[in-house]
């Protein structure tokens, strides 16, 4: 039974929709935020890592300004600017009650599509986790329009689950999960407990699109599930109003709908992009020991394993990894530009700090950002 496996989840991404933390008039529901903060703090205290994706900026802004749903984009963005601060104030207040520290990240689409920004965002997220902080993430609504926009937080949460290397994504909503037919139109709708494959029928039955405050609905939840399933991460949709829902899910209880990951596992899609879609602009030539470690032990490429740097490239660019006889064994995203890389190849990590005066990354290419060819 797959739910049993959920018990081992240690890095969990949790998404809450606007309706799970605000009233329809936009006023923040303190009780709901308090319960959410308590549950997430418990995950943290139990040794887990939690990342919260919170909607509700537009909604909370409406509550504060006592205004109706804005009709124009600039108005919506202005209202979000008011609401986002308010949301963080509330999260800070309640999480600190439970002795937890939170940090805000506001993301845009290019944090995922631009390799450099992708690296920066991912490294910030990991650093927050390293500090024991609970990251609270939303789309940067005030500046996100058109091609910069992700558009809905279900999709955003799936993308974050991927870059965080999460063990599980939980989407808390005002609905119990996915039904066989649209429950709004059909009283006999039955909850589906486990989904291995998203069928055309499920898509057709899940056309509810949310409203003008929350962009979601079941439609975007299925889109999110497609992303997590392809990346080897299980996703659960459950009702945020259920008592102690997070601890029950993490105890393996069969509530909500779980979307099981496809085989192939975490990171497959990005590796696919690296090996198929990316264009290397330089290369690292590595020694035999590093080749063996990368091919057979699944390690990072460290400066000490590289013997030559080829080409001009920047930090965040894709480069090839060649062995001594010139064969390309992998591709990956470089943590250093070619100039810094030339100074540190062949050196031990301790020396890298002395040479560069700082050290942001220990490895030339992190294993996570590398695809073997
Ligand atoms: N980012 C929006 C907000 O915080 C919500 C997007 C969504 O509902 O998916 O108001």
């Amino acid at each position: 039974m797959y739910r049993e496996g959920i018990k081992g989840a240690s890095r969990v991404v949790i998404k809450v929709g606007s309706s799970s933390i605000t009233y329809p008039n936009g006023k923040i529901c303190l009780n709901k935020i308090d319960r959410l903060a308590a549950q997430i703090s418990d995950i943290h205290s139990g040794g887990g890592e939690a990342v919260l994706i919170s909607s509700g900026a537009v909604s909370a802004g409406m509550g504060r300004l006592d205004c109706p749903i804005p009709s124009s984009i600039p108005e919506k963005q202005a209202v979000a600017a008011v609401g986002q601060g308010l949301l963080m104030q509330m999260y800070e207040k309640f999480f600190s009650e439970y002795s937890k520290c939170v940090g805000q990240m506001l993301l845009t689409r290019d944090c995922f599509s631009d390799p450099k920004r992708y690296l920066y965002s991912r490294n910030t997220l990991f650093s927050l986790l390293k500090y024991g902080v609970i990251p609270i993430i939303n789309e940067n609504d005030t500046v996100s329009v058109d091609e910069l926009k992700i558009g809905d937080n279900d999709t955003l949460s799936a993308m974050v689950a991927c870059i965080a290397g999460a063990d599980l994504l939980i989407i808390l909503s005002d609905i119990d999960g996915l039904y066989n037919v649209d429950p709004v139109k059909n009283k006999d709708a039955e909850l589906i407990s486990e989904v291995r494959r998203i069928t055309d029928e499920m898509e057709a039955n899940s056309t509810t699109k949310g409203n003008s405050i929350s962009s979601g609905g079941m439609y975007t939840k299925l889109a999110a599930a497609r992303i997590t399933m392809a990346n080897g991460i299980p996703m659960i949709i459950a009702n945020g109003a259920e008592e102690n829902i997070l601890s029950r899910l993490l105890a393996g209880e069969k509530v909500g709908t779980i979307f099981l990951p496809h085989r192939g596992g975490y990171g497959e899609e990005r590796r696919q992009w690296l090996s198929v879609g990316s264009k290397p602009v330089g290369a690292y030539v590595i020694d035999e020991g590093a080749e063996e470690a990368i091919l057979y032990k699944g390690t990072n490429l460290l400066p000490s394993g590289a013997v030559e740097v080829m080409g001009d490239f920047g930090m965040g660019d894709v480069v090839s990894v060649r062995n001594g006889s010139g064969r390309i064994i992998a591709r990956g995203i470089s943590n250093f530009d070619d100039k810094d890389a030339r100074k540190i190849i062949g050196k031990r990590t301790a020396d890298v700090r002395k040479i560069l005066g700082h050290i942001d990354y220990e490895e030339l290419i992190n294993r996570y950002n590398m695809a073997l060819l």
Side-chain angles (χ1 to χ4, degrees):
M1 184 55 213
Y2 198 90
R3 296 272 185 164
E4 284 294 306
I6 296 300
K7 288 185 190 168
S10 65
R11 183 172 292 169
V12 188
V13 174
I14 298 137
K15 183 252 167 179
V16 285
S18 307
S19 63
S20 299
I21 48 174
T22 55
Y23 290 104
N25 64 6
K27 301 285 180 205
I28 290 181
C29 179
L30 301 178
N31 184 33
K32 285 182 180 171
I33 295 222
D34 188 14
R35 281 192 302 155
L36 184 67
Q39 290 189 70
I40 293 177
S41 299
D42 272 340
I43 294 178
H44 199 258
S45 299
E49 290 173 320
V51 177
L52 175 63
I53 314 294
S54 176
S55 300
V58 174
S59 184
M62 282 166 52
R64 182 56 168 260
L65 296 172
D66 256 326
C67 68
I69 299 173
S71 50
S72 74
I73 291 175
E75 279 168 352
K76 209 167 171 178
Q77 292 182 309
V79 172
V82 173
Q84 182 63 31
L86 204 58
L87 273 186
M88 282 313 293
Q89 188 192 1
M90 287 298 144
Y91 281 126
E92 171 61 38
K93 174 179 159 67
F94 284 105
F95 275 101
S96 59
E97 281 288 308
Y98 301 109
S99 312
K100 301 296 174 197
C101 182
V102 296
Q104 170 184 258
M105 280 183 84
L106 297 177
L107 302 178
T108 46
R109 177 168 284 284
D110 60 346
C111 298
F112 300 92
S113 59
D114 178 284
K116 211 178 264 177
R117 298 209 59 187
Y118 170 88
L119 256 189
Y120 292 147
S121 316
R122 181 170 179 272
N123 289 328
T124 305
L125 183 62
F126 275 55
S127 299
L128 283 170
L129 293 173
K130 208 165 78 187
Y131 280 123
V133 171
I134 297 169
I136 300 185
I137 301 178
N138 196 357
E139 180 154 16
N140 194 350
D141 292 318
T142 53
V143 297
S144 297
V145 278
D146 303 330
E147 72 278 3
L148 271 181
K149 204 169 163 69
I150 297 162
D152 73 273
N153 277 5
D154 293 323
T155 305
L156 174 66
S157 67
M159 291 161 109
V160 169
C162 293
I163 66 166
D167 300 313
L168 175 67
L169 168 62
I170 299 174
I171 294 189
L172 293 179
S173 182
D174 49 8
I175 188 162
D176 290 344
L178 178 71
Y179 286 83
N180 60 341
V181 288
D182 189 341
V184 181
K185 297 180 194 142
N186 196 323
K187 275 210 296 293
D188 303 321
E190 280 169 27
L191 188 79
I192 304 172
S193 168
E194 196 174 286
V195 175
R196 285 174 187 275
R197 195 170 64 86
I198 296 174
T199 61
D200 294 345
E201 206 185 341
M202 287 174 188
E203 295 274 12
N205 286 333
S206 305
T207 47
T208 46
K209 289 257 174 57
N211 53 42
S212 30
I213 306 177
S214 65
S215 326
M218 196 45 80
Y219 185 76
T220 51
K221 293 186 178 45
L222 289 189
R226 283 191 186 281
I227 297 172
T228 54
M229 289 165 99
N231 281 279
I233 303 169
M235 177 185 121
I236 298 177
I237 301 173
N239 197 327
E242 290 258 349
E243 204 59 39
N244 288 325
I245 186 69
L246 292 181
S247 58
R248 285 164 57 197
L249 286 173
L250 291 170
E253 194 178 314
K254 225 172 135 189
V255 275
T257 302
I258 186 165
F259 295 80
L260 304 186
H262 297 152
R263 278 188 307 152
Y266 171 60
E268 282 307 295
E269 271 202 349
R270 187 188 35 274
R271 295 208 176 99
Q272 239 167 40
W273 172 77
L274 275 171
S275 54
V276 183
S278 70
K279 231 170 143 190
V281 288
Y284 288 119
V285 182
I286 61 172
D287 64 20
E288 249 174 63
E291 181 180 0
E292 176 146 335
I294 286 172
L295 290 181
Y296 305 110
K297 296 193 193 127
T299 59
N300 298 326
L301 172 60
L302 296 175
S304 57
V307 294
E308 193 186 336
V309 178
M310 298 166 76
D312 301 329
F313 54 86
M315 172 196 173
D317 281 342
V318 175
V319 295
S320 307
V321 179
R322 295 170 184 246
N323 67 8
S325 45
R327 193 168 71 83
I328 296 175
I329 62 156
R331 264 184 210 167
I333 300 175
S334 178
N335 277 337
F336 295 88
D337 63 29
D338 67 291
K339 287 170 202 65
D340 278 350
R342 278 177 225 279
K343 293 183 203 154
I344 59 173
I345 53 168
K347 301 288 192 293
R348 305 196 158 272
T349 308
D351 300 327
V352 170
R353 187 188 302 275
K354 280 188 217 138
I355 296 166
L356 298 181
H358 62 93
I359 182 165
D360 291 334
Y361 311 98
E362 289 191 350
E363 64 281 344
L364 294 175
I365 303 177
N366 189 286
R367 180 63 193 197
Y368 176 88
N369 293 322
M370 197 188 311
L372 299 184
L373 298 178

